[in-house]
Amino acid sequence: AFTQNADAQKRKYNYYDKGYWGNIEAVGGVVLSGGGSDIGISTVHGGRLGHGVAMGIGAGVYIDINNLYYAFNVPVFLETKYSPMKGGKSPFVSLRTGLSITDNLATGFYLSPAVGVDLGRVSLFARYGFNLFPMNVDIDFPELDMNINTVANVKTHALSIGIAVNF
């Protein structure tokens, strides 16, 4: 088992080979809507389909920090990744789509494209994160003895850079 594992480590990581694909990534950046910073970690597990394409299902935890205020965001997503060049070093593009749940249990749409470079088992990238949360809003007008309940779309935008370890 040890020699087989050592041999696997010597082989180049290639998205043109079929097989298991997974990664763990860490990101940090800025929140474009409202300011503050964004940090997070996520993981994806799926398969390399050949021809430079990989697909997997993933989840993450992201924290938006603005002064003393913070918000948690937990996306669950499908990621598609394309690396156009054979071998261990290649530029890539990826797209994540799915659902996101906030710390106050609001559920919304999650979209996150990325561009980067694969350097063997390590990837460096820039990722844009977009969340859209429809939320119920109560507006109270006591002087008119009126209460309005409506749905508002809360949007968050973040731009991050990160590093991933592929396995």
Side-chain angles (χ1 to χ4, degrees), residues 129-152:
F130 173 75
N131 291 289
L132 175 65
F133 299 102
M135 296 182 158
N136 287 328
V137 178
D138 286 324
I139 304 170
D140 196 17
F141 297 99
E143 63 276 356
L144 300 176
D145 196 28
M146 185 166 47
N147 186 349
I148 299 173
N149 186 330
T150 187
V151 175

Side-chain angles (χ1 to χ4, degrees), residues 84-116:
M85 300 170 69
K86 289 185 178 182
K89 296 180 177 129
S90 174
F92 73 85
V93 294
S94 75
L95 179 64
R96 293 177 170 182
T97 57
L99 296 176
S100 191
I101 303 167
T102 66
D103 51 354
N104 63 359
L105 300 180
T107 303
F109 174 71
Y110 173 71
L111 179 72
S112 183
V115 295

Side-chain angles (χ1 to χ4, degrees), residues 2-14 17 87-88 120-121:
F2 178 75
T3 48
Q4 188 177 25
N5 188 31
D7 184 48
Q9 294 298 323
K10 289 180 187 175
R11 283 184 272 143
K12 288 186 177 182
Y13 196 78
N14 189 342
D17 296 335
R121 294 203 177 267

Side-chain angles (χ1 to χ4, degrees), residues 142-165:
E143 63 276 356
L144 300 176
D145 196 28
M146 185 166 47
N147 186 349
I148 299 173
N149 186 330
T150 187
V151 175
N153 290 322
V154 176
K155 300 173 187 173
T156 63
H157 306 270
L159 186 58
S160 304
I161 57 171
I163 185 168
V165 177

Side-chain angles (χ1 to χ4, degrees), residues 16 22 31 33 41 43 45 54 60 75 81 83 85 104 111 116 122-123 165:
Y16 279 76
V31 177
S33 51
I41 188 166
T43 185
H45 301 276
K81 180 176 180 178
S83 295
M85 300 170 69
N104 63 359
L111 179 72
V122 175
S123 299
V165 177

Side-chain angles (χ1 to χ4, degrees), residues 8-66:
Q9 294 298 323
K10 289 180 187 175
R11 283 184 272 143
K12 288 186 177 182
Y13 196 78
N14 189 342
Y15 287 92
Y16 279 76
D17 296 335
K18 292 182 181 180
Y20 171 78
W21 170 59
N23 75 22
I24 295 176
E25 72 177 42
V27 298
V30 295
V31 177
L32 301 173
S33 51
S37 59
D38 177 52
I39 59 171
I41 188 166
S42 64
T43 185
V44 178
H45 301 276
R48 293 185 315 263
L49 307 177
H51 304 288
V53 177
M55 290 183 78
I57 296 174
V61 175
Y62 296 92
I63 303 170
D64 297 341
I65 304 166
N66 190 347

